[in-house]
Amino acid sequence: MLDNPSYIIDTFFTIFAMTLIIFMVPGFAMLEAGLVRTKNVTSVLTVNVMIYAIASLSFLLIGYEYAFGSWEHQNSMNKYAFFLFQMAFVGKVVNIMSGGVSERSRILPLALFTIIVGAFIYPTIVNITWGANFLADTVLDISDMADLAGSTVIHSTGGWALLAAILIMGPRYGRYKKNGAIQVIPASNIPLVTLGAFLLWIGWFGFNGGSVGSIASKENADAVALTIMNTNTAGLVGAIVGWLMTYFRYKKFDITMILNGALGGLVAVTAGPDQYDIYTPMLIGAIGGALVVIFVPIFDKLKMDDPVGALSVHLINGIWGTLAVGIFVPDVSILTQLKGVIVVGAIVFPLSFAIIFTINKFFTLRAGDKEQQEGIDLTECGMEAYPEFKRSI
Amino acid sequence: MLDNPSYIIDTFFTIFAMTLIIFMVPGFAMLEAGLVRTKNVTSVLTVNVMIYAIASLSFLLIGYEYAFGSWEHQNSMNKYAFFLFQMAFVGKVVNIMSGGVSERSRILPLALFTIIVGAFIYPTIVNITWGANFLADTVLDISDMADLAGSTVIHSTGGWALLAAILIMGPRYGRYKKNGAIQVIPASNIPLVTLGAFLLWIGWFGFNGGSVGSIASKENADAVALTIMNTNTAGLVGAIVGWLMTYFRYKKFDITMILNGALGGLVAVTAGPDQYDIYTPMLIGAIGGALVVIFVPIFDKLKMDDPVGALSVHLINGIWGTLAVGIFVPDVSILTQLKGVIVVGAIVFPLSFAIIFTINKFFTLRAGDKEQQEGIDLTECGMEAYPEFKRSI
Amino acid sequence: MLDNPSYIIDTFFTIFAMTLIIFMVPGFAMLEAGLVRTKNVTSVLTVNVMIYAIASLSFLLIGYEYAFGSWEHQNSMNKYAFFLFQMAFVGKVVNIMSGGVSERSRILPLALFTIIVGAFIYPTIVNITWGANFLADTVLDISDMADLAGSTVIHSTGGWALLAAILIMGPRYGRYKKNGAIQVIPASNIPLVTLGAFLLWIGWFGFNGGSVGSIASKENADAVALTIMNTNTAGLVGAIVGWLMTYFRYKKFDITMILNGALGGLVAVTAGPDQYDIYTPMLIGAIGGALVVIFVPIFDKLKMDDPVGALSVHLINGIWGTLAVGIFVPDVSILTQLKGVIVVGAIVFPLSFAIIFTINKFFTLRAGDKEQQEGIDLTECGMEAYPEFKRSI
């Protein structure tokens, strides 16, 4: 007979879930590489690779113990399996931020910010929510907030950092004309956008499913399956709502809005997929998809330039998803959820603002107008993404 | 000790298998996006995303209970894990059909047909084969047909629907000249074709392996491993036969035929990979690959225009694979297999024909000649797949 | 209760690990397709598909029993699961070799060499290391070498075969000018390079984690998790060192060196990830990344033309990684490790040289200069990778 069967199975299950999340690294990379212009694709890819390497290593060397108190925090499975699962989350926070400032951001200052997120900002938020909680006395305690896999801890954290970065950096060169017109910048590679979105979708099964923390009892196996079921459903309905809302307005099928609608639904369901029945995620995902379609033009009106729609997908839906648990789950207080949303915003936004502002003083974050016109691939990387293809723009 | 270890392990295993199948969503999307012309790539991708969203939601809301009788049909594992595994199959049926009519089909009528497949056509076939079987009295009973993972239930079902659609819609504009010549239309992006084919191949391990239904006994673990072994072998040999047959004729390596040969082998082995020794799938896969090479030009002679070779890969090999179990497995009657093939064809083909014919009356399925010349991406999606790359055609 | 729980769990785990390795098939294909010029992309992809099909089938029919003595070699899990895991390794050896001679090699002779690697060369090396060892009396015995997942058995084996091929075939047409200048040939598709590198990275988790051979005890689960932890860490640090070394020299971010640095770190850690603490892989990966940056220009100086950097990534780091276990693990003798490195080189290099030389006599391996100028896609495959995109070169 096996000794420690639950230890074995949970170690295996957590490795499986972690592996799915790692598919989100090429997922984000392909999504963003497809959404930006050809002349900025190498930079976007480089940033994505650097984020995974730097954020993960910072978390390994510093952030993890700060977040969870010790390497022995979790003893129901192998400690390194648990670490890897947590480590797979960190880069996502910076991915959300870096995606939203792409086509105009220089790489070195982003790399510096990534170190700070991996070693300090993200671990602070984890500490007061999922982690060791020794900071809970010094800040408002939000350890009671229901946030299974991080609608707030991951997605709105990344979203607040992005908001700070956009305010400091301003829009891409030429995006908002003096006469009030907005320059439409189409995605350069739709197959990559589609591939990236589906790698993210699949990664989400590991993200949310693995966050249940165990599969080694009937109760936990049921929670894992329900979580993945509900995660998927919110994505399906988010996609359909993204489709219908754009179709009725423009009579066209807008695949970037369909996919962003799906991602909005996935973010929104992430706070509580283990606690809903199988129909509630349809409503949560529908609102999630709708919020993306509604907020993308609003941010543009506010001249907050976000080439991939990350504010709408991650910040708005991170907030919506966290509140949704309070609305739909009787045992969860919406006030606690709201407090969690506010506390995280009140920590992450000013902290990120101050750090990005300081970095920007010493290492200018924004590429110059001329560099942006030529494309930042040449100035930052000295390498075009598709050097042999003739371009029409 | 664990209580319910087999429930836990089978829930985990089914989630693993389901996840592999979901990789087939980007798999089909990339394969088809690579095979069609640049001007139709966004449409093809949009259709693939829509199919996953719409077919899955239709199956969740209506089709699943119709197919399996109740949510409690399977109680050896978590019911939502079992649902997700079954749900992952549904879209494939429409993928097969939509791929074969790409470059000329409008999206909205395809979306309507997808709802009907997910809610009604596919569940009808599942009901009388793998499912609740309460329709077995009203139609010819084929619940005895050996079809582990759907050579008939998935692949020829999709193939029959495609045949109906091709007959109703006709070929792409300009494909068959008045003088009898055939316009050769090369694939626009071979890396995407290759990526897509391998995502499908990997997904097949989950499709066929997961269809064993359990891994939680020595006997079942052996059946799962044998199934994946044989699945892979048929793909290997299908690829090699696709290579040799085209190489000896043209003295060139035709990667699209090599990959379609592999897919043909994979479809052919799908009905009985748990029942063969490890050498039989070589023969089945070889014939599967050969059938693709033989039937692709035959369908072209018949002016049945199928840009991705889906009729040969899925319909012909779905039939071959189902009959093969009767030929190679002593306990399986070839007559029962033949009856299964015929009954499914006799249900799906006329039903699909009637539904597609009706949809076509109200929402024209075929894009106009001028739209096809310009590319349906502009008229359907208002968005090019690669707007910055200059095109030579 | 389950009977044979460890048999069940290890069969499942090995199938999981094998599946991750199969993602390395599209991983290598995308990496190489992105690194070579557009005019050679279809050939590179075709070679990758052929290698998987041919090497796997050769190993199934001949190589496996020669390597392991019998199909019953491993009886702690299902024998076909174990076979599939081993089979997933074989093609990698040829991938390493074929990648390094891409843009100038004809496909048919490569296919013949692949048969011999799968049936004979690779199984010989496995026989005297991980396998049946009945050759250990006739050659120097290296069955004591510590090489968990193949720094030597896979990576330097492939590297030695590549070295032989490069010596026989010579560089690409026009690469080294008469005046000593080197023609810079930029990668044609950076998104594919990035995608491919991450599919390889993820596959490595299965490669190294699965090589532990079991997860079905607390001790083994710990070894698997530690192995994956350390594998990932070496990749992270390899990427960072690849970044820093190129950045300080050129003030640019060179994503191909960052990714090759990561792959160098991954190769280097592969011999002993189960035996290190969690900090040692940082040093091993750092040196691994540095070796890539250092050796890529050295091989160019030696006019050993290797378009993907495979000699530096796989041969140099395969050697370094094998020696590293002797350096960092007290119980492992560095002399035994060195002996292993030398014996494998002394078998594989002359054997590969003789075979490639012979093949080259009958089926010229090197495409002619004019074919190389036009691109070997047209002469070998009759099919361009991106026929619709206008090219600037």
Side-chain angles (χ1 to χ4, degrees), chain C residues 248-265:
Chain C
F248 283 120
R249 202 179 308 169
Y250 307 109
K251 303 293 169 216
K252 301 280 182 199
F253 293 86
D254 183 337
I255 189 171
T256 62
M257 273 299 178
I258 295 171
L259 292 170
N260 261 340
L263 297 178

Short mmCIF file of all heavy atoms in Angstrom, two decimals, chain C residues 248-265:
data_model
loop_
_atom_site.label_atom_id
_atom_site.label_comp_id
_atom_site.label_asym_id
_atom_site.label_seq_id
_atom_site.Cartn_x
_atom_site.Cartn_y
_atom_site.Cartn_z
N PHE C 248 25.33 43.87 -21.82
CA PHE C 248 26.49 44.69 -21.48
C PHE C 248 27.42 44.89 -22.68
O PHE C 248 28.09 45.91 -22.79
CB PHE C 248 27.23 44.10 -20.28
CG PHE C 248 26.52 44.39 -18.99
CD1 PHE C 248 26.06 43.39 -18.17
CD2 PHE C 248 26.26 45.72 -18.62
CE1 PHE C 248 25.37 43.68 -17.00
CE2 PHE C 248 25.58 46.02 -17.44
CZ PHE C 248 25.12 44.99 -16.63
N ARG C 249 27.40 43.93 -23.59
CA ARG C 249 28.27 44.09 -24.75
C ARG C 249 27.65 45.00 -25.79
O ARG C 249 28.29 45.86 -26.35
CB ARG C 249 28.60 42.71 -25.34
CG ARG C 249 29.88 42.74 -26.16
CD ARG C 249 30.25 41.38 -26.75
NE ARG C 249 30.27 40.31 -25.76
CZ ARG C 249 30.35 39.02 -26.08
NH1 ARG C 249 30.41 38.65 -27.35
NH2 ARG C 249 30.36 38.09 -25.16
N TYR C 250 26.35 44.77 -26.10
CA TYR C 250 25.74 45.46 -27.24
C TYR C 250 24.70 46.51 -26.87
O TYR C 250 24.15 47.17 -27.72
CB TYR C 250 25.08 44.43 -28.18
CG TYR C 250 25.99 43.33 -28.61
CD1 TYR C 250 25.81 42.03 -28.12
CD2 TYR C 250 27.04 43.56 -29.50
CE1 TYR C 250 26.64 41.00 -28.52
CE2 TYR C 250 27.88 42.54 -29.90
CZ TYR C 250 27.67 41.26 -29.40
OH TYR C 250 28.50 40.25 -29.78
N LYS C 251 24.36 46.62 -25.57
CA LYS C 251 23.30 47.54 -25.13
C LYS C 251 21.96 47.27 -25.82
O LYS C 251 21.15 48.17 -26.02
CB LYS C 251 23.70 49.02 -25.37
CG LYS C 251 25.00 49.44 -24.70
CD LYS C 251 24.90 49.45 -23.19
CE LYS C 251 26.26 49.60 -22.52
NZ LYS C 251 26.37 48.84 -21.28
N LYS C 252 21.78 46.04 -26.24
CA LYS C 252 20.50 45.65 -26.82
C LYS C 252 20.01 44.37 -26.13
O LYS C 252 20.82 43.60 -25.60
CB LYS C 252 20.65 45.32 -28.33
CG LYS C 252 21.17 46.46 -29.17
CD LYS C 252 20.11 47.45 -29.52
CE LYS C 252 20.67 48.55 -30.43
NZ LYS C 252 19.86 49.75 -30.46
N PHE C 253 18.72 44.16 -26.18
CA PHE C 253 18.15 42.92 -25.66
C PHE C 253 18.06 41.91 -26.79
O PHE C 253 17.29 42.11 -27.74
CB PHE C 253 16.76 43.18 -25.09
CG PHE C 253 16.79 44.04 -23.88
CD1 PHE C 253 16.77 45.43 -23.99
CD2 PHE C 253 16.87 43.48 -22.62
CE1 PHE C 253 16.83 46.23 -22.86
CE2 PHE C 253 16.92 44.27 -21.49
CZ PHE C 253 16.91 45.64 -21.61
N ASP C 254 18.83 40.85 -26.70
CA ASP C 254 18.88 39.86 -27.79
C ASP C 254 18.06 38.64 -27.39
O ASP C 254 18.54 37.75 -26.69
CB ASP C 254 20.34 39.49 -28.05
CG ASP C 254 20.48 38.52 -29.22
OD1 ASP C 254 19.49 37.83 -29.53
OD2 ASP C 254 21.56 38.46 -29.82
N ILE C 255 16.80 38.61 -27.83
CA ILE C 255 15.89 37.55 -27.36
C ILE C 255 16.36 36.15 -27.78
O ILE C 255 16.15 35.19 -27.05
CB ILE C 255 14.43 37.82 -27.82
CG1 ILE C 255 13.47 36.84 -27.13
CG2 ILE C 255 14.30 37.78 -29.32
CD1 ILE C 255 12.01 37.16 -27.34
N THR C 256 17.02 36.04 -28.92
CA THR C 256 17.46 34.69 -29.30
C THR C 256 18.57 34.21 -28.36
O THR C 256 18.63 33.02 -28.05
CB THR C 256 17.94 34.64 -30.78
OG1 THR C 256 19.08 35.50 -30.93
CG2 THR C 256 16.85 35.09 -31.73
N MET C 257 19.42 35.13 -27.89
CA MET C 257 20.44 34.72 -26.92
C MET C 257 19.84 34.48 -25.54
O MET C 257 20.30 33.61 -24.79
CB MET C 257 21.54 35.79 -26.82
CG MET C 257 22.64 35.60 -27.85
SD MET C 257 23.49 34.00 -27.65
CE MET C 257 24.64 34.10 -29.02
N ILE C 258 18.84 35.25 -25.18
CA ILE C 258 18.15 35.03 -23.90
C ILE C 258 17.52 33.63 -23.89
O ILE C 258 17.69 32.86 -22.94
CB ILE C 258 17.08 36.12 -23.66
CG1 ILE C 258 17.75 37.49 -23.50
CG2 ILE C 258 16.22 35.79 -22.45
CD1 ILE C 258 16.76 38.66 -23.47
N LEU C 259 16.85 33.29 -24.99
CA LEU C 259 16.19 31.98 -25.06
C LEU C 259 17.21 30.85 -25.18
O LEU C 259 17.04 29.79 -24.56
CB LEU C 259 15.19 31.95 -26.22
CG LEU C 259 13.98 32.87 -26.03
CD1 LEU C 259 13.16 32.97 -27.31
CD2 LEU C 259 13.09 32.39 -24.88
N ASN C 260 18.25 31.06 -25.98
CA ASN C 260 19.28 30.03 -26.06
C ASN C 260 20.03 29.88 -24.73
O ASN C 260 20.46 28.78 -24.37
CB ASN C 260 20.25 30.32 -27.22
CG ASN C 260 19.93 29.51 -28.46
OD1 ASN C 260 19.23 28.49 -28.40
ND2 ASN C 260 20.44 29.94 -29.60
N GLY C 261 20.17 30.99 -24.00
CA GLY C 261 20.75 30.90 -22.66
C GLY C 261 19.89 30.05 -21.73
O GLY C 261 20.40 29.20 -20.98
N ALA C 262 18.58 30.25 -21.82
CA ALA C 262 17.67 29.42 -21.02
C ALA C 262 17.81 27.95 -21.41
O ALA C 262 17.91 27.07 -20.53
CB ALA C 262 16.22 29.88 -21.24
N LEU C 263 17.85 27.68 -22.72
CA LEU C 263 17.97 26.28 -23.15
C LEU C 263 19.31 25.70 -22.71
O LEU C 263 19.38 24.53 -22.31
CB LEU C 263 17.81 26.19 -24.67
CG LEU C 263 16.43 26.62 -25.22
CD1 LEU C 263 16.40 26.53 -26.74
CD2 LEU C 263 15.30 25.77 -24.63
N GLY C 264 20.37 26.49 -22.76
CA GLY C 264 21.68 26.04 -22.28
C GLY C 264 21.61 25.66 -20.80
O GLY C 264 22.13 24.61 -20.40
N GLY C 265 20.96 26.49 -19.99
CA GLY C 265 20.79 26.17 -18.58
C GLY C 265 19.99 24.90 -18.38
O GLY C 265 20.31 24.07 -17.52
#
